[in-house]
Amino acid sequence: MSVTIKIPTPLRTLTAGADEVSVEASTIRAAIDALETQYPGIKDRICDEKGIRRFVNVFANEEDIRFLNSLDTELSDKDVVSIVPAIAGGSDPLR
Amino acid sequence: MHPSQDSEDFSQPGRRYTSVIHAVGNTPVVRLLPLERETDGSHIYLKLEYANPGGSVKDRAARQMVLDALADGRLRPGMTLIDSTSGNTGVAYAMIGAALGIPVALVMPANVSAPRQAIVRAYGAELILSDPMHGSDGAIEHCQDIVAAAPERYFYCDQYTNPSNPKAHWLSTGPEIHAQIGAELTHVVLGIGTSGTCMGTTRYLRQHLPRVRCLALQPSEALHGLEGLKHMASSLKPAIYDEGVPHQHIAVDTERGWDMADRIARETGLHVGHSSGANIEGAFQVAKAHPNARVLTIACDRGDRYFAPMRWERDYTW
């Protein structure tokens, strides 16, 4: 299924300036892997060996995936995944 | 040395002022003994900028920018002070505006924490939220649009271009460090956000303590979690920033800065914010690399400024 990933400004140098990228994926993990395939190097900016890096927030639609099933959070067709820097420890900007 | 054996005289009476704006500055310096033990005879000094009345180093710049603008007529009765800020400068503007009777409007990215937003509202400042996907640069652009639409209404303080920002540190932070550490100082490590602290302090120290080596510090990556610091290669460069002013530039990973902030809280009782953790990590690396170094850095703000509500608290009104 097709999902849209919203890319924050600091990572757009890796996506040739694109602020949104469409990928085929059914989980957050697969979506990030698909993003990495299109734009090599971007995954390390978002994830470390333990999962999503501590200062990065990833939202599936309007929900922080830390409160869902983290990287295994399932996605549906036309879902929107947002990568948001947690610059202040993270209030929910999409609420 | 154990901290309890410190021979410092603690009997000096408190200072008395007519306004909170005079209580800005003259912050203490504390040595980081647990880190020093891992060096070859180096001392690491942390200047506690969170002891400023607004809780951060930004009090200095905000006070100087407001006082200079009042003095030369850029800020006149009836005008509102406006600026974009990721937080601490906003708190400082809000505090100084309240103290001096000046209306304040602040543009912040919407992902600035709810408690931070609540602090500036507590001082009576107006809060304007910008797109979180565009970060602090998006807040700058949004603020410029607001000012362009009503230039007579606003004094655009613009901490990124305002020479009074580094001037504050030339006039206060630099001389204080000179007086507190003096000629034994070998290195200073200063994180760069607007670059005001680094530019003003470094210029002062290079002139008055020419043997001191001045290092500027920034996040190692464009996407980072060191709020208040800028990754210059991927950011709008502040007009007040001159990369030739420091002797050297160093970079710190977000995780190293966060971990150091946690460590310092537990081992020294100094609960500092993430950018301060990065500063201390940078100073620690310098102190380890140079035997008998005397390294100073600053604690920009306190860690409790970064507590954010957990999920079950989301609807709690701060």
Side-chain angles (χ1 to χ4, degrees), chain B residues 124-148:
Chain B
E126 178 191 356
L127 198 51
I128 301 162
L129 298 178
S130 59
D131 188 338
M133 297 297 280
H134 297 140
S136 58
D137 287 350
I140 294 170
E141 286 159 2
H142 190 53
C143 183
Q144 288 169 343
D145 290 344
I146 292 167
V147 174

Side-chain angles (χ1 to χ4, degrees), chain A residues 9 45 53-54 85 87 95, chain B residues 111 221 227 255 259 314:
Chain A
T9 310
R45 306 274 78 82
R53 294 174 77 183
R54 284 179 279 168
I87 60 163
R95 181 170 51 176
Chain B
N111 50 342
E221 299 174 60
E227 186 181 349
E255 286 89 347
D259 289 345
R314 277 186 183 183

Side-chain angles (χ1 to χ4, degrees), chain B:
Chain B
M1 185 177 71
H2 188 271
S4 63
Q5 296 164 336
D6 199 330
S7 60
E8 195 73 34
D9 175 12
F10 295 106
S11 62
Q12 185 188 356
R15 298 166 281 162
R16 290 170 33 158
Y17 301 114
T18 52
S19 167
V20 70
I21 70 163
H22 303 303
V24 173
N26 287 313
T27 54
V29 168
V30 175
R31 277 174 59 187
L32 303 178
L33 301 181
L35 299 185
E36 290 181 4
R37 287 186 204 111
E38 296 176 28
T39 71
D40 183 4
S42 291
H43 292 184
I44 304 172
Y45 301 99
L46 184 66
K47 189 164 172 61
L48 303 186
E49 287 303 299
Y50 66 57
N52 281 303
S56 86
V57 65
K58 297 292 193 176
D59 286 7
R60 296 180 190 262
R63 177 179 65 174
Q64 196 68 44
M65 290 189 287
V66 170
L67 293 179
D68 286 353
L70 287 169
D72 65 19
R74 283 172 293 145
L75 176 52
R76 299 179 296 279
M79 294 176 86
T80 294
L81 183 159
I82 191 168
D83 208 349
S84 61
T85 160
S86 64
N88 281 325
T89 308
V91 176
Y93 287 140
M95 175 186 79
I96 289 162
L100 298 178
I102 299 163
V104 172
L106 304 168
V107 185
M108 293 188 184
N111 50 342
V112 167
S113 74
R116 183 74 64 87
Q117 297 176 27
I119 296 167
V120 299
R121 286 199 179 101
Y123 288 108
E126 178 191 356
L127 198 51
I128 301 162
L129 298 178
S130 59
D131 188 338
M133 297 297 280
H134 297 140
S136 58
D137 287 350
I140 294 170
E141 286 159 2
H142 190 53
C143 183
Q144 288 169 343
D145 290 344
I146 292 167
V147 174
E152 68 294 342
R153 192 182 150 199
Y154 292 107
F155 164 60
Y156 179 25
C157 203
D158 196 0
Q159 58 170 333
Y160 294 94
T161 68
N162 194 323
S164 300
N165 174 358
K167 178 183 167 190
H169 300 283
W170 168 273
L171 290 175
S172 67
T173 317
E176 288 172 33
I177 293 169
H178 191 184
Q180 286 169 301
I181 314 297
E184 68 175 288
L185 186 66
T186 61
H187 299 80
V188 289
V189 176
L190 297 166
I192 296 187
T194 69
S195 80
T197 306
C198 181
M199 293 297 117
T201 306
T202 298
R203 285 196 180 101
Y204 183 90
L205 293 176
R206 288 192 69 156
Q207 180 165 332
H208 294 86
L209 291 171
R211 290 177 56 230
V212 174
R213 198 153 171 86
C214 301
L215 294 89
L217 177 147
Q218 56 182 295
S220 58
E221 299 174 60
L223 182 66
H224 66 87
L226 299 170
E227 186 181 349
L229 300 186
K230 260 185 186 286
H231 179 259
M232 283 296 168
S234 61
S235 302
L236 294 174
K237 283 203 184 34
I240 58 173
Y241 175 59
D242 177 351
E243 70 177 13
V245 169
H247 294 97
Q248 190 181 339
H249 293 262
I250 58 175
V252 168
D253 294 343
T254 294
E255 286 89 347
R256 299 288 290 266
W258 284 30
D259 289 345
M260 180 57 85
D262 289 346
R263 179 180 173 187
I264 283 298
R266 287 193 292 263
E267 296 186 17
T268 68
L270 299 161
H271 185 217
V272 302
H274 299 138
S275 60
S276 309
N279 271 346
I280 297 166
E281 173 66 23
F284 186 38
Q285 297 304 328
V286 171
K288 284 197 290 191
H290 299 89
N292 299 309
R294 299 291 181 265
V295 187
L296 181 137
T297 191
I298 69 163
C300 314
D301 65 6
R302 303 165 76 99
D304 51 17
R305 196 148 271 183
Y306 299 91
F307 288 147
M310 302 303 287
R311 186 182 191 219
W312 53 88
E313 299 172 313
R314 277 186 183 183
D315 296 324
Y316 183 78
T317 304
W318 288 74

